[in-house]
Amino acid sequence: MNLGFNTFDTFRFKQLIFVNSAAYAYTQIRIDQHTALFGENNLGKTSMLNALKLFLLPEVNFRNCGNKFNFRGTNGKLYDGMASFRYYFPEDRSFIILEAENPHGDFCIVLHRGGATDKMEYARMVVPCPYADLEPLFWDVGAGADGGIGAPVENMTLQVVKTALREMVGEPLSDWKTIQERLFTNQPYDKRAGRFSLLPLRNGAGKREMDAWRKLVHLAFDISASDDRTLPDTLATIIEGQKSRKNEELNLDLNAIVEEANQLREEGDRITRIRNASDHWMTFHEQFLHEQQLRGQTAKAYADLDDSVAVEEERLTEAQGTASNTLTNAENQAETLERIKRESSKAVTNTSAEVKATGKQADNLRKDINDANATLNGFPTGTPRQEIIENLEEHIAEQVKDIEGYNNKAVAQQEYSRACQRLEKNTRQAKHMEERLTNRAPTLLDDLSVRDASILFSLNRSLGTTHGKLTAEQKHAFVQFSQQFHSEDGHLMLGHPPERIALGDILYQRYDAEQTRQTMQNNLDKLNESIAHDKSRRDRLKEEASLGPEEIAKRRKQAEQELTKAKEDKNALSALDANQQKLGILEGDLRELEAKLEEQKRQHEKAETDWNEADDQRKAARQTQKTLQEQAQQIRSIRQRLDRIGKDANNVLEGRHKALATTPCEVSEANIEALEQNVDELSALRNKVHELLRKLLTMSILPNADSQAHLTSFTGDQVADFHDQLKAVFDNLDTQEANYRHQVDRHNKTTHSQVEILRTAKEQVSAFMSRINAEMGQFSISDLEEVRVDYRLHPRFEQLLADLEKADLLSDELQDSKVYEQLKAFQADFFNSDARRTGILLSLDKILASVHYKYRKRGEEGWTTNAQSNGTTMMITTNLLSVLMSRLMDGDAQVTMPLVMDEFGSLATRNMRTARQMAEQHGYCLFVANPNRDSKITQVIRNYVHLGLFHASRAYAENRTVVHHGLCESLTHKGVLTVRTADIDSEGAPFPEEEDHL
């Protein structure tokens, strides 16, 4: 741009090159001269124009793309970040290069994909050399393929290119701050620092300058000002950007004023609440002190009793251990003696049973013996036992026969016959025996003694049956002979001890003549008895033959009873000797058992006595243990009650019991009850204190304490802390009231000074617009004599200033709350949202509601705001852009950069020429685009590029084949390469005839 001096530092944008980017395989466009882009839709004309923003703005990624670049299609729709990233940098081998010039020489800025594709990053390298040195890295222009349009470089990769650029002393610029310092700061005297300066912004590349520059870039790409916010945002940012002093910034915090007012109002209300709560405070204070005193006393009582209980627990534990051992020993001893007693009792029982059983056996034997003796007594004295037994057997046999006869008449008849036969036989025999007894003659042995007769009879029985009388000599010989023998054990012995000879085969048989006679008489008697018996039996059988069944049954039963009695008598008599022997043995055993029983009873009595003593000792040990257990239970009860208190001790006693020295006390029910009563009283008092505290906290006397008023409980430290805070508040109430009055006075003065800053904002806008219009007045466009930039401030801003004029900001009272609400709402809508670095600043773009052009036509007095043609508006905006640029660019620099205009064919030819003139007047080059070639454009612009005319058959990608560079601007019909001069600038020069077909 030309600012009226001839000694400028020149900054020039020279070429824009696309390599495998957008729709292009390789496209090289001159932008240091007026250039028109022709081509069908979707060939990327608009995106080529927009690509300049990637160099004009210090960005490193496409995030938040709409705010950063404002890329829009022909339909006005914004492109998102990922779509833009993939369009310009579809792969690692995609590059966009800008060749530029500054006072230190030519240089290139090479854009390529960054390291984080998912973050849409792109990177830049700056190289201190003209693009001609870089061209072989990206496209083989001299290749003969495709009629001279060149071919891809086979080994081109991002790594190869970056390595080559570093070898050319290229530098990567990776962060936002470095980009600003190296590309947007003028360093005319420091070649290293200024080697890559692209746009020399005034006052360096600070944030305000960059924000202003960003708005100018958007204005430069919206030269027709079609967006209503383009001009207001741009002008507001320029105003901010050209401020050089901190005090020129509209730095104020209305929210702080509102907040302070609210705080002061709250403080005033709080002081009033404090004054109104004085009585409640005194009640709380008194109850708090009472609670502290009672807590100390209760804590001491708790600590004393707790320690004494612990001592008693230890004593009882030891005593219970001893008692438990004593009881165990006593129980063991008692159990041992009880076992002995049990065993002795069992022995007595068993022996008693044996005595009883043996006595019963003896009694049974005695009965059997008595029965046998009774049977013997039933026979004549001296009757041999065997004879009696035989008699009994006969009686038994007889009874058996009788029973059989009773059961069977045939048997009875047979028995009757046998009885008659036996009777007849025995009668004859008895007669014979009687005759013998009467006519008996003496035998040889009758004159000898019974001993001698028995010895001789045993040796020869015929001596006892031979009748005769011995002579004296024979008697003497018999006597002498018999003396050689004697009887022993039923046998004869020859001789006398010790030379005796046992005659085992000769039984000793007694011979007694009288006895023999008696025996004969006895036998006769027996036989007579048998005869009598048989007679009786015969008569009875005869009688029974005529008896009826009932009488027979009765007699059968009687016979059965007699049979049983006879058998018993026989058995008793047969076992008499054995029973007498057994009885003797049993009586001996019985005497031994009775003696044993007496000893066992004595031992049992002793065992029982010992056990009783041990049981008494066990009972005593149990009683001792029970007593100790009762004492322990009492202690446990007290301990449990202490523990219940202890669980709440940290809240009720506040832990004071833990640090107290203890004094021994009585562990008693009275003491624990007294402690519990104190704890209950303390708990109730604590609840009352807490309730009083909650009431005070709900009064908003203390700051930030309202939420704690809803706590279910407080710790002692919290209560004490609140008490101290409240005491400090109520003790210093007078001082607080005085401070409050001073704070209100200071606040009102501060509010007044801050409002003055708002008025300054209006003055700044007005002064800036006046200066802009003074410079705009130097230009005339078409039939417009004068053009001004008019503006309108936001109505709310105007209303706020008007309302603040009515308020008395220096009174001794706070303003009405509506004033503060208005200030707060205004800051929320009209101040920047990020105050971390810049402070809280009034955003001029928000109070600058609209900006428009106001015109005065040539020959007219009045001003009009009627819309002008698109071309006229573009001319005006170009003038404004130049004026605004002069405020941002270094005054000693001349910048030649493209002025972008899309859809250039929509302008009339006259306006196209005016646009060219205006651009040249301000040092710009038109960089325009149109869908198709228009002769009007070519006549005005002269230099043009028809995109899409040349396509490479070999490219880096199938969908990016468009090629354009200085050697392929046009082709003849025969395909001969024709180099067209690129700097023809004479208006109206004829077109080359070989282009007529385009």
Side-chain angles (χ1 to χ4, degrees):
M1 63 186 70
N2 188 348
L3 303 179
F5 300 96
N6 295 323
T7 57
F8 294 120
D9 293 332
T10 301
F11 296 82
R12 183 187 304 275
F13 289 45
K14 300 180 71 173
Q15 288 192 90
L16 185 62
I17 301 95
F18 289 80
V19 180
N20 194 29
S21 173
Y24 314 118
Y26 180 76
T27 302
Q28 184 178 358
I29 305 297
R30 291 283 297 277
I31 55 175
D32 58 349
Q33 59 188 12
H34 302 302
T35 302
L37 300 178
F38 297 139
E40 299 176 356
N41 291 331
N42 298 324
L43 280 178
K45 303 182 301 300
T46 302
S47 61
M48 180 176 286
L49 302 180
N50 285 333
L52 279 171
K53 293 183 181 180
L54 300 176
F55 297 96
L56 296 174
L57 299 174
E59 303 296 344
V60 294
N61 58 60
F62 286 90
R63 295 197 297 272
N64 196 18
C65 184
N67 291 333
K68 288 179 180 178
F69 302 112
N70 197 31
F71 289 149
R72 296 178 183 271
T74 55
N75 60 358
K77 182 180 178 181
L78 279 171
Y79 290 110
D80 66 21
M82 185 55 73
S84 300
F85 173 74
R86 290 174 176 171
Y87 183 77
Y88 286 115
F89 300 103
E91 56 177 285
D92 285 347
R93 295 186 302 170
S94 298
F95 302 91
I96 304 176
I97 303 103
L98 174 67
E99 182 185 23
E101 176 188 357
N102 67 20
H104 300 295
D106 293 336
F107 65 95
C108 293
I109 303 175
V110 181
L111 304 182
H112 58 83
R113 268 196 176 193
T117 302
D118 58 331
K119 296 181 180 179
M120 300 174 284
E121 291 182 350
Y122 65 92
R124 51 174 58 77
M125 288 191 72
V126 290
V127 189
C129 60
Y131 177 70
D133 295 346
L134 274 62
E135 184 179 58
L137 297 174
F138 301 108
W139 193 256
D140 188 357
V141 177
D146 294 328
I149 65 175
V153 177
E154 294 297 336
N155 63 343
M156 186 192 76
T157 63
L158 177 58
Q159 191 59 41
V160 169
V161 171
K162 288 171 67 175
T163 300
L165 296 181
R166 289 192 188 95
E167 292 174 355
M168 296 178 183
V169 200
E171 300 179 23
L173 302 182
S174 57
D175 63 278
W176 192 78
K177 183 177 181 181
T178 303
I179 294 170
Q180 287 187 171
E181 291 176 352
R182 301 299 298 277
L183 298 185
F184 298 95
T185 304
N186 189 16
Q187 298 285 353
Y189 305 113
D190 187 344
K191 183 175 182 178
R192 192 198 68 80
R195 183 65 183 84
F196 304 112
S197 180
L198 182 66
L199 290 167
L201 298 183
R202 188 190 301 271
N203 299 326
K207 183 180 186 304
R208 290 179 298 168
E209 287 76 14
M210 290 309 302
D211 289 342
W213 169 243
R214 188 182 302 277
K215 294 297 182 182
L216 279 182
V217 169
H218 291 320
L219 179 61
F221 279 76
D222 187 23
I223 204 67
S224 61
S226 59
D227 188 341
D228 292 339
R229 289 304 308 171
T230 297
L231 286 177
D233 291 347
T234 302
L235 292 175
T237 308
I238 295 297
I239 294 173
E240 295 290 356
Q242 72 179 90
K243 294 174 183 177
S244 60
R245 298 188 303 276
K246 187 70 176 178
N247 58 8
E248 292 179 353
E249 295 181 352
L250 302 178
N251 192 339
L252 69 161
D253 191 350
L254 299 181
N255 280 343
I257 295 174
V258 175
E259 184 177 351
E260 185 180 47
N262 292 334
Q263 292 174 352
L264 287 173
R265 184 170 281 110
E266 290 177 359
E267 180 65 12
D269 294 341
R270 190 179 72 86
I271 290 174
T272 301
R273 291 193 299 273
I274 295 172
R275 182 63 68 187
N276 294 335
S278 296
D279 292 342
H280 195 79
W281 152 252
M282 289 305 299
T283 302
F284 167 71
H285 177 64
E286 292 171 359
Q287 295 296 327
F288 172 78
L289 294 179
H290 182 199
E291 180 194 12
Q292 294 296 306
Q293 181 183 10
L294 181 59
R295 179 172 287 113
Q297 296 171 354
T298 306
K300 182 66 167 64
Y302 176 87
D304 291 347
L305 186 57
D306 182 69
D307 188 66
S308 298
V309 167
V311 172
E312 187 66 11
E313 285 174 334
E314 184 177 359
R315 181 192 71 79
L316 285 173
T317 299
E318 183 177 354
Q320 281 184 305
T322 301
S324 177
N325 292 333
T326 301
L327 176 59
T328 300
N329 294 333
E331 286 181 340
N332 291 337
Q333 180 66 17
E335 288 175 0
T336 299
L337 293 176
E338 185 178 17
R339 185 177 65 255
I340 294 173
K341 184 189 78 167
R342 219 171 25 248
E343 291 174 352
S344 65
S345 175
K346 183 177 179 181
V348 169
T349 300
N350 292 339
T351 303
S352 297
E354 288 183 26
V355 169
K356 184 176 181 181
T358 303
K360 187 175 182 180
Q361 289 179 8
D363 290 341
N364 290 335
L365 288 175
R366 289 190 186 96
K367 180 179 178 300
D368 291 343
I369 291 171
N370 290 335
D371 290 343
N373 290 327
T375 300
L376 290 175
N377 293 330
F379 287 88
T381 304
T383 303
R385 188 184 307 171
Q386 185 61 35
E387 181 180 345
I388 296 173
I389 292 173
E390 291 174 354
N391 186 273
L392 289 172
E393 288 176 348
E394 290 177 358
H395 183 68
I396 290 170
E398 186 177 291
Q399 295 303 315
V400 171
K401 292 295 183 179
D402 287 344
I403 293 171
E404 289 177 354
Y406 292 144
N407 294 328
N408 190 339
K409 289 184 177 182
V411 173
Q413 184 63 38
Q414 291 177 358
E415 184 61 22
Y416 174 78
S417 297
R418 281 194 291 272
C420 289
Q421 292 173 1
R422 192 169 52 254
L423 179 61
E424 183 180 356
K425 176 183 176 182
N426 288 336
T427 299
R428 287 194 304 268
Q429 187 176 1
K431 185 177 180 181
H432 176 70
M433 289 182 64
E434 185 175 356
E435 291 175 353
R436 284 181 58 197
L437 182 61
T438 301
N439 299 319
R440 180 181 180 274
T443 65
L444 295 179
L445 300 179
D446 286 347
D447 290 336
L448 296 178
S449 65
V450 174
R451 176 189 174 281
D452 294 338
S454 296
I455 294 297
L456 294 173
F457 182 74
S458 297
L459 291 172
N460 188 352
R461 291 188 179 187
S462 63
L463 293 178
T465 60
T466 301
H467 298 280
K469 188 171 176 70
L470 293 175
T471 65
E473 289 82 8
Q474 291 174 333
K475 183 177 179 180
H476 178 74
F478 273 29
V479 170
Q480 291 295 320
F481 178 75
S482 66
Q483 292 298 316
Q484 301 301 313
F485 300 90
H486 68 274
S487 66
E488 183 175 339
D489 295 332
H491 294 83
L492 292 184
M493 300 292 292
L494 176 62
H496 297 280
E499 296 178 353
R500 62 185 178 179
I501 298 172
L503 303 175
D505 293 335
I506 301 176
L507 296 176
Y508 173 77
Q509 294 186 20
R510 180 179 177 80
Y511 182 84
D512 186 344
E514 181 60 27
Q515 185 177 3
T516 301
R517 191 194 64 77
Q518 185 62 42
T519 299
M520 291 177 64
Q521 183 62 47
N522 289 339
N523 289 338
L524 178 61
D525 292 340
K526 289 179 183 179
L527 187 59
N528 288 329
E529 288 177 2
S530 178
I531 291 170
H533 176 72
D534 286 340
K535 285 180 179 181
S536 175
R537 181 171 179 75
R538 179 196 61 186
D539 294 341
R540 183 173 58 79
L541 290 173
K542 183 177 180 180
E543 178 189 6
E544 288 176 352
S546 62
L547 294 176
E550 292 181 359
E551 184 63 25
I552 293 299
K554 180 179 179 181
R555 294 191 178 191
R556 182 191 303 110
K557 183 176 181 181
Q558 182 179 358
E560 289 174 351
Q561 291 176 350
E562 290 183 6
L563 175 64
T564 301
K565 177 67 169 56
K567 287 181 179 181
E568 290 176 353
D569 291 344
K570 175 193 171 185
N571 292 334
L573 193 59
S574 298
L576 177 59
D577 294 337
N579 286 341
Q580 288 176 341
Q581 184 178 5
K582 288 180 181 179
L583 179 59
I585 295 172
L586 285 176
E587 287 177 344
D589 292 342
L590 184 59
R591 286 191 295 274
E592 292 179 359
L593 287 173
E594 287 174 346
K596 179 180 178 182
L597 179 60
E598 290 300 321
E599 176 63 21
Q600 288 177 340
K601 286 182 177 179
R602 185 189 64 75
Q603 292 177 356
H604 175 66
E605 290 175 359
K606 182 178 184 306
E608 190 167 19
T609 301
D610 293 343
W611 175 80
N612 287 332
E613 293 177 358
D615 189 50
D616 290 341
Q617 292 176 359
R618 176 171 60 182
K619 290 177 180 178
R622 283 178 178 173
Q623 184 60 42
T624 300
Q625 187 183 52
K626 181 179 178 182
T627 302
L628 290 173
Q629 287 175 343
E630 290 173 352
Q631 294 176 0
Q633 179 60 34
Q634 182 182 11
I635 296 300
R636 277 195 299 273
S637 175
I638 295 175
R639 167 58 67 193
Q640 289 172 354
R641 292 156 74 179
L642 278 173
D643 289 344
R644 282 195 294 272
I645 297 172
K647 287 181 180 179
D648 196 37
N650 288 332
N651 293 327
V652 177
L653 303 181
E654 299 297 339
R656 293 190 182 182
H657 57 288
K658 297 178 181 179
L660 295 175
T662 60
T663 303
C665 68
E666 180 185 2
V667 180
S668 64
E669 183 67 21
N671 280 348
I672 186 63
E673 287 181 355
L675 176 61
E676 289 173 335
Q677 183 176 355
N678 285 347
V679 169
D680 292 341
E681 182 181 353
L682 178 60
S683 179
L685 182 59
R686 179 188 64 173
N687 293 336
K688 184 175 182 181
V689 170
H690 286 185
E691 188 61 31
L692 292 170
L693 176 59
R694 289 191 190 94
K695 181 66 175 177
L696 286 170
L697 294 178
T698 57
M699 294 178 177
S700 301
I701 296 173
L702 297 178
N704 303 321
D706 291 349
S707 62
Q708 300 188 56
H710 303 290
L711 293 176
T712 56
S713 64
F714 300 91
T715 65
D717 291 340
Q718 287 176 321
V719 175
D721 182 58
F722 282 128
H723 174 268
D724 293 343
Q725 294 182 50
L726 290 168
K727 187 174 186 302
V729 169
F730 283 96
D731 289 350
N732 294 281
L733 182 57
D734 294 339
T735 303
Q736 293 180 57
E737 289 175 335
N739 290 338
Y740 171 72
R741 289 192 293 271
H742 294 311
Q743 290 172 354
V744 170
D745 181 66
R746 184 177 68 252
H747 167 78
N748 287 336
K749 291 178 181 178
T750 301
T751 302
H752 181 267
S753 64
Q754 292 284 291
V755 170
E756 287 300 312
I757 296 177
L758 288 177
R759 297 190 180 99
T760 301
K762 182 176 181 179
E763 295 171 0
Q764 286 180 352
V765 174
S766 176
F768 179 78
M769 291 302 183
S770 296
R771 292 193 296 271
I772 291 296
N773 284 324
E775 295 187 41
M776 289 289 289
Q778 299 176 12
F779 303 97
S780 61
I781 301 172
S782 299
D783 61 343
L784 301 178
E785 181 68 25
E786 189 175 357
V787 179
R788 290 184 181 178
V789 179
D790 199 10
Y791 69 96
R792 183 175 64 86
L793 296 178
H794 200 284
R796 284 180 59 189
F797 179 61
E798 298 279 18
Q799 184 64 44
L800 176 64
L801 292 179
D803 291 343
L804 291 175
E805 286 294 331
K806 300 174 185 178
D808 184 5
L809 299 178
L810 295 177
S811 67
D812 57 356
E813 298 291 338
L814 293 173
Q815 300 299 314
D816 187 86
S817 59
K818 293 182 179 179
V819 173
Y820 296 112
E821 291 174 2
Q822 192 175 9
L823 290 174
K824 183 175 182 179
F826 181 78
Q827 175 163 324
D829 294 336
F830 291 88
F831 282 67
N832 66 340
S833 59
D834 184 6
R836 288 176 296 178
R837 293 175 296 178
T838 61
I840 303 175
L841 302 178
L842 177 63
S843 299
L844 290 180
D845 60 328
K846 293 184 178 181
I847 68 171
L848 193 58
S850 64
V851 175
H852 55 274
Y853 297 130
K854 186 167 67 172
Y855 318 98
R856 187 171 63 81
K857 291 189 176 182
R858 191 175 292 112
E860 296 180 2
E861 293 294 331
W863 294 83
T864 181
T865 58
N866 293 336
Q868 302 297 308
S869 66
N870 192 33
T872 300
T873 301
M874 291 173 66
M875 301 306 108
I876 296 171
T877 304
T878 301
N879 268 332
L880 178 60
L881 181 62
S882 175
V883 171
L884 297 178
M885 286 279 286
S886 67
R887 281 165 167 71
L888 287 183
M889 295 299 169
D890 195 319
D892 295 332
Q894 178 178 346
V895 178
T896 300
M897 62 179 289
L899 185 64
V900 176
M901 294 183 182
D902 203 359
E903 301 291 336
F904 194 65
S906 64
L907 300 180
T909 303
R910 179 171 58 85
N911 285 336
M912 290 182 185
R913 296 182 187 280
T914 303
R916 173 171 175 162
Q917 292 171 1
M918 294 294 294
E920 292 173 347
Q921 183 178 0
H922 296 299
Y924 299 125
C925 298
L926 290 180
F927 189 26
V928 304
N930 204 60
N932 48 52
R933 176 180 170 184
D934 190 330
S935 61
K936 296 181 298 181
I937 297 176
T938 58
Q939 289 175 1
V940 174
I941 300 301
R942 304 289 181 86
N943 303 297
Y944 64 91
V945 174
H946 198 301
L947 297 174
L949 183 60
F950 304 108
H951 290 266
S953 61
R954 290 193 303 114
Y956 294 109
E958 293 181 358
N959 59 335
R960 293 185 288 277
T961 60
V962 176
V963 178
H964 178 86
H965 54 79
L967 297 180
C968 62
E969 290 183 350
S970 63
L971 296 174
T972 64
H973 289 290
K974 296 180 180 180
V976 179
L977 181 65
T978 303
V979 179
R980 180 173 174 231
T981 305
D983 57 356
I984 298 176
D985 56 6
S986 59
E987 187 173 338
F991 296 109
E993 61 178 7
E994 64 269 26
E995 295 182 357
D996 290 344
H997 68 287
L998 298 177

